[in-house]
DNA sequence: TTAGGGTTAG
């Protein structure tokens, strides 16, 4: 059993002892000490294992149904209470129960018509706890058959629970009296006490009642009440332990148990409750035929997938299926979506087959998930066709959006556009997401004017753009350095009443910085702050890097200060940017100081940091130092990447160390790092300077074999060089 | 179940 009921109970009892201070105070000191312990032990209480002779009276039992004897006894006892003897007690002197050892009363009680029921009615009617307690003790000794103590106390508990204010304090005191007499609680008493204690938040005391109760009296509703209380008191782990204890001790859960556990466990994101324990509980409840409903199960599967991957969710769903739970499409959809995200097509197919076997019909959402996960769009189209034909299940806007997005991501803009026209023909209305998907697809494929045209077209048909639409268009314009267009779009957006969000701001700041338009970038940053957004570390980094590229180090440093003042801590990227800027200026000393600061601040220098430093050494002509750093970092396990190899190869070529450069390229390949056009360009330049044509041909072949495309620089170097030596074409083309 | 941005070294 997980969590440990024992430990839990020990903790609870400790809390009960240490609990609210008011507990320590007795309700009425005279009552508590009225009967010495020795006397209590002599009292002949009816043995609890025998069932009560009669059921305790309900509150509704009217006096008209009572025999006259009852009235006589009450009158007698009340008379006694007003007698001079009682005055002694009021002065603090304990009154002995023997004072009731009175012939008159004894004969009243031994009348044949005076039953246990009447005794309990008397207790209730006494309307004074102190007198009632003394009467109970007295009657337990003198009445025959003996008074059933637990029932008598139940009557007292019942009466006390109705007396305001603070019934819980009275009950606590009565419980103390009951415990002093060694009486076990009846199931009804326990229920009443738990309800009263839990109403005032006495969690441990409530749990203690359950603990004290004989196991066969710990009924499911009591557990349910306590489970609810524990969740309400933000103790989900204890609730889980209690639930496990309930099940381990053979108590059957009911639908209420399920409702409490399922909804509470789903509400909490994960407060110290581990998923395995919950999953075991869900299965255990399932064994008793208590299952979560479809909504709960679906939420639960989604959460399991997010937190633990699909395997546990898969197992849970199948275990519930084996237990006979009625599973519905949404639960399957949740699992299918996660399997799709993990690209586990095998299990997706298995699950679909199972759905078919179980007669669970796929929904539009199922198809949306399937289409969204398909790489090849023909399959998506085929599936959509089958949806229409086989299942009479029409694709909706989302289905089309997923397909259109697939075409766009595959660069098939024309197909995307065709599908868009197709959906309109089919009467499926495109929404703003459809529009944005196509607009962005066009932008990403370099077709900005088509995107603008398409946007205009749809606006004419009443489909309005939003921040996402403008963000795609602005980002694409900046990407091709069309700052004017980007700013124009931004203005149009704001004038059109569309508020830019943080993504739009970042796109602008980043694009403007990269375009070297730092003044505009800074002013957008200010607008962003005025609009109530905070610049994040990435925004500051692009600004700092922009200033550094422009060699505006003072501005960069001002931005760094602004960043720190805003409480945004420089990160690894910030430090790398600064180190690179210093290295570019040849100031390796300061660059190393910044790196020390970086380490002090808890950032770990990476391959990017060392790349910048290696570049710095090269820049100041210290190739040896550069190679030394390169070797030491490679030895310490930092894998050099393309950029680092390219820097070194470039400077080796420039420094007339062509052989070292060529062997470094071999090493690069051996390390599984592929040379790029930049690598080849450096080498071609080096070879050209020494007119090593054959080696150049060799490299051209390698480049070709490797599938590395020459860029415009490659073309420029080679055409100039080869035409100069009179060979513009090669024999094998 | 669907749409936009994530910075640093060549």
């Amino acid at each position: 059993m997980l969590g440990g009921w024992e430990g839990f109970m020990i903790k609870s009892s400790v809390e009960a002892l240490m609990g609210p201070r008011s507990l320590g105070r007795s309700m009425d000191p005279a009552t508590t000490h009225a009967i010495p312990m020795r006397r209590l032990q002599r009292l002949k209480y009816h043995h609890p294992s025998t069932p009560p002779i009669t059921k305790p009276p309900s509150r509704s039992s009217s006096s008209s149904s009572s025999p006259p004897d009852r009235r006589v006894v009450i009158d007698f006892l009340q008379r006694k209470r007003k007698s001079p003897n009682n005055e002694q007690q009021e002065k603090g002197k304990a009154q002995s129960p023997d004072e009731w050892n009175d012939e008159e009363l004894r004969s009243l009680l031994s009348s044949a018509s005076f039953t246990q029921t009447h005794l309990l009615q008397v207790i209730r009617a006494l309307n004074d706890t102190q007198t009632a307690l003394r009467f109970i003790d007295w009657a337990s000794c003198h009445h025959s058959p003996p008074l059933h103590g637990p029932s008598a106390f139940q009557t007292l508990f019942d009466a006390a629970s109705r007396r305001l204010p603070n019934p819980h304090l009275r009950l606590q005191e009565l419980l103390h009296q009951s415990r002093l007499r060694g009486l076990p609680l009846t199931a009804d008493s326990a229920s009443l006490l738990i309800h009263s204690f839990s109403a005032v938040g006495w969690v441990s005391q409530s749990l203690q009642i359950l603990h004290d109760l004989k196991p066969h009296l710990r009924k499911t509703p009591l557990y349910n009440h306590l489970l609810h209380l524990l969740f309400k008191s933000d103790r989900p782990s204890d609730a889980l332990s209690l639930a496990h204890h309930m099940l381990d001790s053979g108590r059957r859960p009911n639908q209420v148990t399920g409702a409490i556990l399922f909804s509470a466990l789903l509400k909490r994101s994960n407060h110290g409750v581990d998923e395995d324990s919950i999953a075991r509980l869900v299965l255990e409840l399932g064994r008793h035929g208590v299952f979560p409903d479809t909504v709960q199960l679906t939420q639960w599967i989604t959460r399991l997938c997010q937190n633990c991957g699909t395997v546990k969710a898969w197992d849970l769903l199948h275990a519930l299926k084996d237990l006979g739970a009625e599973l519905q499409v949404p639960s399957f959809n949740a699992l299918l979506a996660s399997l799709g995200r993990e690209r586990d097509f095998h299990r997706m197919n298995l699950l679909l087959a199972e759905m078919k076997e179980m007669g669970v019909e796929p929904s539009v959402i199922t198809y949306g998930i399937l289409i969204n996960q398909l790489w090849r769009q023909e399959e998506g189209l085929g599936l959509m066709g089958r949806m229409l034909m086989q299942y009479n299940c029409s694709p909706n806007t989302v289905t089309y959006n997923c397909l259109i997005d697939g075409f766009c991501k595959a660069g098939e803009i024309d197909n995307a556009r065709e599908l868009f026209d197709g959906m309109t023909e089919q009467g499926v209305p495109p929404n703003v997401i459809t529009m944005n998907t196509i607009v962005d697809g066009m932008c990403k494929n370099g077709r900005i004017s088509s995107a603008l045209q398409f946007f205009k077209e749809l606006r004419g048909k009443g489909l309005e753009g939003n921040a996402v639409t403008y963000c795609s268009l602005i980002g694409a314009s900046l990407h091709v350095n069309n700052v004017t267009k980007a700013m124009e779009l931004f203005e149009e957006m704001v004038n059109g009443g569309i508020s830019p969000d943080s993504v739009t701001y970042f796109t602008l700041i980043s694009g403007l910085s990269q375009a070297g338009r730092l003044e505009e970038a800074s002013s957008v940053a200010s607008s962003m702050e005025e609009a109530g957004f905070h610049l994040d570390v990435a925004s500051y980094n692009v600004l700092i890097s922009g200033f550094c590229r422009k060699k505006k180090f003072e501005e960069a440093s001002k931005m760094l200060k602004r960043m720190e003042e805003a409480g945004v801590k420089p990160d690894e990227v910030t430090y790398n940017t600064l180190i690179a800027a210093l290295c570019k200026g040849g100031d390796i000393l300061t660059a190393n100081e910044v790196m020390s600061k970086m380490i002090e601040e808890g950032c770990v220098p990476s391959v990017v940091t060392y790349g910048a430093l290696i570049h710095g050494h090269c820049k100041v002509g210290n190739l040896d130092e550069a190679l030394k750093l390169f070797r030491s970092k490679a030895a310490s396990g930092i894998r050099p990447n393309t950029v680092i190899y390219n820097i070194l190869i470039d400077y080796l070529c420039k420094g007339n160390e062509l052989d070292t450069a060529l062997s470094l390229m071999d090493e690069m390949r051996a390390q599984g790092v592929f040379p790029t056009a930049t690598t080849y360009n450096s080498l071609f330049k080096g070879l050209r300077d020494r007119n090593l044509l054959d080696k150049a041909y060799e490299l051209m072949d390698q480049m070709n074999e490797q599938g590395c495309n020459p860029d415009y620089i490659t073309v420029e170097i080679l055409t100039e060089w080869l035409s100069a030596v009179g060979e513009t074409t090669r024999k094998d083309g």
Side-chain angles (χ1 to χ4, degrees), chain A residues 463-483:
Chain A
L463 202 54
E464 289 299 325
N466 60 16
V468 178
T469 330
Y470 279 100
C471 194
S472 291
L473 291 166
I474 290 169
S477 303
L478 288 168
H479 194 71
V480 296
N481 246 315
N482 194 343
V483 177

Side-chain angles (χ1 to χ4, degrees), chain A residues 192-419:
Chain A
L192 199 144
L193 287 164
I194 286 176
H195 278 78
S196 173
F197 289 172
S198 62
V200 291
W202 285 6
V203 182
S204 307
Q205 289 83 342
S206 301
L207 288 167
Q208 191 62 45
I209 302 289
L210 182 82
H211 190 231
D212 291 349
L213 202 57
K214 300 222 168 244
H216 73 279
L217 294 178
R218 295 178 193 159
K219 296 285 161 62
T220 304
L222 273 191
Y223 277 106
N224 288 348
H225 187 85
L226 289 168
L227 286 172
H228 179 73
L229 175 66
L230 283 168
F231 281 121
K232 219 176 64 189
S233 316
D234 211 18
R235 288 168 62 171
S237 299
D238 288 339
L240 219 60
S241 297
L242 183 64
H244 279 298
H245 172 264
M246 167 185 182
L247 297 167
D248 289 347
S249 60
R251 183 57 60 193
R252 279 183 68 91
N254 57 22
Q255 296 304 321
V256 179
T257 322
I260 292 167
L261 286 169
F262 297 138
S263 72
L265 289 171
L266 274 166
K267 257 182 226 151
R268 271 146 235 283
S269 41
N270 234 335
H271 295 337
V273 177
D274 80 302
E275 309 283 359
D276 282 335
S277 177
I278 302 177
R280 275 213 325 278
L281 188 69
V282 172
L283 288 184
E284 194 62 42
L285 290 168
R287 273 180 212 117
H288 290 93
V290 177
F291 296 109
D293 64 29
T294 296
V295 176
Q296 288 168 336
L297 180 61
T298 305
Q299 283 180 332
W300 185 228
I301 285 176
T302 308
R303 195 174 116 181
L304 263 184
C305 287
Q306 276 166 359
N307 295 347
C308 317
T310 50
V311 177
K312 281 186 183 162
W314 174 278
D315 290 346
L316 180 76
L317 188 86
H318 284 84
L320 288 176
K321 178 191 158 194
D322 293 342
L323 287 169
E326 266 190 45
L327 302 176
Q328 289 176 333
V329 203
S331 309
F332 284 100
N333 287 345
L335 186 52
L336 278 171
S338 289
L339 287 169
R341 257 173 253 128
E342 290 183 2
R343 305 235 153 271
D344 190 343
F345 299 119
H346 176 64
R347 279 181 183 235
M348 279 179 95
N349 281 326
L350 279 178
L351 200 60
L352 285 165
E354 281 179 68
M355 283 170 73
K356 197 170 181 181
E357 200 183 296
M358 293 168 71
V360 178
E361 292 275 313
S363 66
V364 181
I365 292 175
T366 319
Y367 287 112
I369 293 165
L370 296 181
I371 287 171
N372 195 28
Q373 297 307 330
L374 288 169
W375 285 90
R376 291 199 304 280
Q377 296 308 305
E378 312 88 76
E379 280 185 39
L381 283 175
L383 193 64
M384 202 162 80
R386 257 176 287 150
M387 255 168 95
L388 287 164
M389 310 285 292
Q390 239 174 298
Y391 293 102
N392 200 20
C393 184
S394 331
N396 60 13
T397 305
V398 178
T399 322
Y400 273 103
N401 289 351
C402 294
L403 266 174
I404 288 172
D405 190 46
F407 276 124
C408 287
K409 296 253 152 73
E412 296 177 38
I413 305 300
D414 294 330
N415 282 333
R417 178 65 215 245
E418 256 177 57
L419 205 56

Side-chain angles (χ1 to χ4, degrees), chain A residues 24 31 77 101 129 136 361 365 383 419 525 543 571 575-576 591 674:
Chain A
T31 316
L77 290 170
N101 202 353
T129 316
I136 288 171
E361 292 275 313
I365 292 175
L383 193 64
L419 205 56
L543 283 162
D571 67 358
Y575 286 111
N576 287 343
F674 288 100

Side-chain angles (χ1 to χ4, degrees), chain A residues 518-519 522 540 543-548 550-563 578:
Chain A
L518 273 307
E519 264 185 39
S522 302
Y540 281 113
L543 283 162
I544 291 169
S545 135
F547 283 123
C548 285
K550 285 242 149 187
K551 297 200 175 14
K552 294 190 167 174
F553 298 118
E554 223 170 88
E555 294 294 318
S557 138
K558 266 190 209 161
M559 193 53 75
L560 186 69
K561 209 174 153 211
R562 219 172 113 182
M563 172 181 185
L578 298 171

